[in-house]
Amino acid sequence: MRILGFSVIFVSMNLTIINSFFVGWSPNMILRGLIDPASLVCVLGCVIGTSLVAYGSELGKAFKANASQEEAMTAINVYKLAVRVSIGSGFIGTQLGWIAMLGSMGGTGMDRAALTGGAATSLITILYGLTFAFTLFLPLQYYFQAKLDKDF
C-alpha cells in the first residue's frame, strides 16, 4: 500500500508539472474556467498517496459509517492528515505554476500561453487545496470527533 501511495504522489505531481510546462498538452482547451484536471490530480493524488503511505491497510477505517472508538480515532487522524496535505499540495502546485510562469518570461520571445497556463495552475491548485481541506476533510474530521465525543 505504501508503494502505491508513493506512486500516486509521483504521478500526480508529474501531471501537474507536465500541465504547467507543456501547455499544448493541456485539456484546458475543452474545459475552461475552474476545471483543471492536473490541479485536481495534484491535490487529491497527494492526499490519497500520503494517506496510503501513512495508514496503509487501516485507511478503510476512515470511511466506516458506524465506527468503533479505535476506528473513529484512526479516521480523525486520516482527515487531519488530509487537511494538511491538501493545503500543502495546493501550495506545491502554486510554486510549480510560478516556476512555469517565470520560466516563460526569459529570453527574447515570451510565451504568453505558458505564462497564463502557469498562472492558472498556480491559482486553481491552491483553490482546490483549500476547498478540499475546508469543505470536505475538516468537516469529516469534526464528524468523527463528534462521534467519538458522543461515545464517552
Side-chain angles (χ1 to χ4, degrees):
M1 288 299 230
R2 290 190 172 124
I3 293 172
L4 177 63
F6 282 119
S7 299
V8 169
I9 294 168
F10 179 77
V11 168
S12 65
M13 294 309 292
N14 279 322
L15 283 175
T16 304
I17 292 167
I18 288 169
N19 185 58
S20 296
F21 291 100
F22 304 107
V23 178
W25 172 82
S26 177
N28 287 340
M29 299 302 173
I30 300 168
L31 304 170
R32 296 195 184 271
L34 292 177
I35 299 175
D36 184 25
S39 296
L40 187 66
V41 167
C42 176
V43 173
L44 290 181
C46 287
V47 169
I48 292 168
T50 55
S51 297
L52 286 170
V53 169
Y55 291 97
S57 60
E58 293 183 4
L59 187 60
K61 294 178 183 178
F63 303 104
K64 286 194 171 184
N66 297 322
S68 67
Q69 283 186 337
E70 177 192 342
E71 292 169 337
M73 281 302 298
T74 301
I76 290 167
N77 291 330
V78 166
Y79 292 121
K80 280 183 184 179
L81 175 68
V83 167
R84 291 180 182 133
V85 171
S86 64
I87 293 170
S89 61
F91 280 110
I92 290 170
T94 298
Q95 294 298 312
L96 292 172
W98 289 352
I99 292 167
M101 285 172 39
L102 294 174
S104 69
M105 293 175 127
T108 57
M110 186 169 75
D111 185 5
R112 289 185 186 196
L115 182 69
T116 57
T121 298
S122 174
L123 295 172
I124 291 173
T125 307
I126 194 62
L127 175 70
Y128 285 166
L130 292 171
T131 301
F132 282 115
F134 293 113
T135 63
L136 180 63
F137 302 131
L138 198 60
L140 285 170
Q141 175 190 337
Y142 288 137
Y143 168 77
F144 281 101
Q145 184 66 50
K147 277 189 109 156
L148 189 63
D149 292 343
K150 190 187 289 185
D151 289 343
F152 283 118

